[in-house]
Amino acid sequence: GDGQNLVTEDVTVVEGDVATISCRVKNSDDSVIQLLNPNRQTIYFRDFRPLKDSRFQLVNFSNSELRVSLTNVSISDEGRYFCQLYTDPPQEIYTTITVLVPPRNLVIDIQKEIAVEGEEIELNCTAMASRPATTIRWFKGNKELTGKSEVEQWSDMYTVTSQLLLKVGREDDGVPVICLVDHPAVKDLQTQRYLEVMYKPQVRVSQNYPVQGLTREGEPLELTCAAFGKPQPTDMRWLRVDDEMPQHVVVSGSNLLISNLNKTDNGTYRCEASNAVGKSHADYMLFVY
């Protein structure tokens, strides 16, 4: 049968690495083994190399094996290589060299550098010039998200771009978005960008005095307003809902002080804070005992 006495394996190699081709004889009868390239030129005839390409080197030669290494493999080396055995009739089998190319680089592009909470932003991740085409995966923090990929082919190479649409909230501020590549030629290739999300203030009113317990007539009341946002709120004000602020109320920055409570002070006191994104408030209901 054709090539029944010969054994070889296909070779997959990353561009620039070394490919090793092995032509083995199962039952040796001292016949000559030779290796031919895809153009059917002889690379090795026994342990002699007629081909002038010094990237081919002999690794092992015996009656039962011809093993040859090819250094600095490039895409042009891909194809079928033939193992031949000079018997009568001659026997031949082929091995295929496949060359993998890792993506050249990985870039995330964010359509808006700074987003506002509730907004949907678009991110694109591009893996340039690989083969085969890469698979792109997205993560926000450690949660996997689903993007939409497009593949472009340029001669033997593939460029993949994945688009991710992301609705952002305040909890996403400072969170990394990671673009990760699945490809047989590389391990752990990823890149990331940190989200920057602006959000309107969060406002909180706390009672400093009395520390616990009742707001009694004749005693003081001190409230503090705290506001956080991005950007940090610059404008903060106190007002009394549905009524005028009593004359004896002292407002100093974020603090509100009533030194001598009486029943006419009953009502809802509101702290409002605003920034470039919007305005928020928190209410404190006062009942004087």
Side-chain angles (χ1 to χ4, degrees):
D2 188 19
Q4 66 181 5
N5 203 15
L6 280 166
V7 199
T8 188
E9 291 87 24
D10 287 343
V11 180
T12 298
V13 63
V14 175
E15 182 184 42
D17 285 359
V18 179
T20 303
I21 304 168
S22 168
C23 301
R24 296 187 301 286
V25 183
K26 280 189 275 191
N27 306 304
S28 172
D29 58 0
D30 295 346
S31 300
V32 172
I33 312 172
Q34 74 166 345
L35 175 65
L36 289 76
N37 70 10
N39 301 325
R40 297 195 82 89
Q41 298 163 297
T42 300
I43 300 171
Y44 269 94
F45 181 87
R46 303 178 64 103
D47 54 354
F48 172 68
R49 193 187 76 218
L51 198 69
K52 290 288 174 272
D53 188 342
S54 64
R55 293 183 308 141
F56 289 99
Q57 291 292 329
L58 194 62
V59 178
N60 183 37
F61 170 70
S62 68
N63 284 339
S64 56
E65 185 186 39
L66 171 62
R67 197 186 322 158
V68 174
S69 67
L70 166 59
T71 52
N72 196 14
V73 174
S74 74
I75 288 178
S76 54
D77 296 317
E78 268 201 344
R80 287 180 176 183
Y81 290 73
F82 301 91
C83 297
Q84 278 187 347
L85 194 58
Y86 269 77
T87 49
D88 189 23
Q91 298 177 42
E92 177 179 285
I93 56 171
Y94 68 82
T95 169
T96 304
I97 290 185
T98 304
V99 180
L100 307 173
V101 181
R104 289 284 181 261
N105 59 352
L106 197 59
V107 182
I108 295 182
D109 181 51
I110 300 190
Q111 148 220 26
K112 288 183 81 163
E113 284 299 324
I114 300 176
V116 174
E117 64 177 335
E119 212 173 13
E120 186 176 62
I121 59 168
E122 179 188 318
L123 298 97
N124 286 286
C125 185
T126 305
M128 309 282 281
S130 72
R131 64 184 294 193
T134 57
T135 301
I136 290 180
R137 296 166 68 194
W138 287 99
F139 293 86
K140 184 180 81 179
N142 48 17
K143 177 173 180 268
E144 185 156 5
L145 306 171
T146 309
K148 197 174 88 213
S149 284
E150 271 184 16
V151 181
E152 275 183 275
Q153 186 175 358
W154 298 88
S155 66
D156 306 342
M157 300 292 210
Y158 299 90
T159 289
V160 180
T161 300
S162 180
Q163 180 195 62
L164 179 69
L165 294 173
L166 189 59
K167 191 172 180 175
V168 292
R170 62 181 61 196
E171 69 282 353
D172 296 321
D173 184 47
V175 172
V177 170
I178 298 155
C179 168
L180 181 134
V181 152
D182 268 347
H183 193 273
V186 281
K187 269 202 160 37
D188 302 328
L189 177 60
Q190 61 176 66
T191 185
Q192 62 182 31
R193 292 281 293 270
Y194 288 89
L195 295 170
E196 194 166 337
V197 183
M198 311 242 288
Y199 51 90
K200 65 183 189 182
Q202 285 163 294
V203 186
R204 205 178 73 240
V205 170
S206 49
Q207 179 180 311
N208 294 358
Y209 190 89
V211 182
Q212 278 134 353
L214 303 176
T215 41
R216 293 193 177 89
E217 197 168 12
E219 290 194 350
L221 168 73
E222 190 187 355
L223 304 177
T224 296
C225 179
F228 303 96
K230 189 166 179 176
Q232 191 54 29
T234 46
D235 189 31
M236 196 186 281
R237 66 193 198 101
W238 281 100
L239 53 104
R240 189 178 180 188
V241 181
D242 302 329
D243 212 336
E244 289 288 306
M245 192 69 100
Q247 294 265 303
H248 55 278
V249 169
V250 178
V251 173
S252 141
S254 57
N255 284 19
L256 178 145
L257 178 70
I258 304 177
S259 55
N260 190 349
L261 287 170
N262 71 57
K263 286 207 169 358
T264 61
D265 298 328
N266 284 350
T268 302
Y269 293 81
R270 174 171 292 177
C271 173
E272 277 185 349
S274 58
N275 65 6
V277 182
K279 189 193 276 190
S280 310
H281 67 262
D283 289 346
Y284 173 87
M285 289 179 74
L286 172 62
F287 183 80
V288 179
Y289 292 88

